[in-house]
Each structure stands twice: as C-alpha cells, then as structure tokens.
Amino acid sequence: MNSGGIGVPLGFPLGPTSVIQVTNLSSAVTSEQMRTLFGFLGEIEELRLYPPDNAPLAFSSKVCYIKFREASSVGVAQHLTNTVFIDRALIVVPCAEVMQPTRTVVMCNTTFDHRENTALGKRPCLISFGS
C-alpha cells in the first residue's frame, strides 16, 4: 500500500477518524451554512472551507473539511452523501488523521492549491488543523 510520506497508508481501510471531507459544494455555500448543516450531527471542533468565504475570485465549487469532537459523527455524516444542498449533491468521505504535538494533519484524496485557490483534482493531500 502507498504511503503519504509520513508513514500513513493512503486509501482504505481507515482507522478511527473524526474528520470528513465534503466535496461537490456549491460556490455559494458559506462556512456558517456548513457549520449549521453538520452541527446537527455532532459537535464540530474545526471547520475549513476552501476557498474561504472571503476569497476575492469566483469558483465553480468548494471543498470543506470538518473535524468532529467524536469519531462516531463521521459515520453519521456520511449518510448525507447525495443529499442536495443548495444546488449540488454532497459527497462526504472520511479522512485519515495523523496527530502531531500541536496540530492534526488530514490526508484526503482531493488536493487544493492554496496559492491559486483552486482544486487540483483527485490526488493525495494534507490539510493541517490547529496551530
């Protein structure tokens, strides 16, 4: 099995994780809307929406990473896959976590170029939560 460069295998099966990746999001979606929708499924520790709400450019879609306090919320959240939200069917998948002393690194299968504020497609990526 391939490694993500830090000793974590890419692909499934995942160990217990408390992070999900939500893709196929409308360009009109906001962080507040995502927090409201997924907050009913469990307490949210952290939420990252890319591109962020204040991005100066228009994009055709967005991607969101949500870290729940409890890993059990991930399984529940996956049931929202194919739910139409605004104008698109959501795709919700779990993401592997690697705990580091001051942050959580998330490995998913969609890469987002933070310099360009664009999604690069289906490639391994790392999203860092925390400081």
Side-chain angles (χ1 to χ4, degrees):
M1 187 173 285
N2 292 335
S3 173
I6 51 177
V8 176
L10 294 177
F12 292 92
L14 288 176
T17 181
S18 60
V19 179
I20 58 170
Q21 176 192 51
V22 186
T23 56
N24 200 37
L25 291 170
S26 169
S27 60
V29 77
T30 66
S31 297
E32 184 179 333
Q33 290 170 324
M34 295 301 293
R35 190 171 295 279
T36 299
L37 178 65
F38 285 92
F40 287 108
L41 308 178
E43 187 176 345
I44 295 174
E45 268 188 26
E46 193 164 356
L47 183 143
R48 301 265 177 113
L49 182 65
Y50 297 103
D53 294 334
N54 58 356
L57 302 173
F59 297 92
S60 60
S61 68
K62 293 185 177 183
V63 62
C64 186
Y65 297 91
I66 300 170
K67 181 175 183 182
F68 291 102
R69 184 162 308 279
E70 300 290 329
S72 60
S73 299
V74 170
V76 178
Q78 286 183 273
H79 289 288
L80 288 181
T81 294
N82 291 326
T83 299
V84 176
F85 187 63
I86 301 180
D87 62 351
R88 298 190 181 188
L90 302 178
I91 301 169
V92 182
V93 296
C95 293
E97 294 179 67
V98 179
M99 294 304 292
Q100 293 183 348
T102 59
R103 64 184 176 183
T104 300
V105 176
V106 179
M107 301 182 70
C108 302
N109 64 355
T110 298
T111 300
F112 187 84
D113 186 338
H114 302 280
R115 297 163 302 196
E116 303 280 332
N117 280 335
T118 57
L120 299 175
K122 297 287 186 178
R123 298 182 209 160
C125 71
L126 295 176
I127 301 294
S128 179
F129 285 94
S131 53

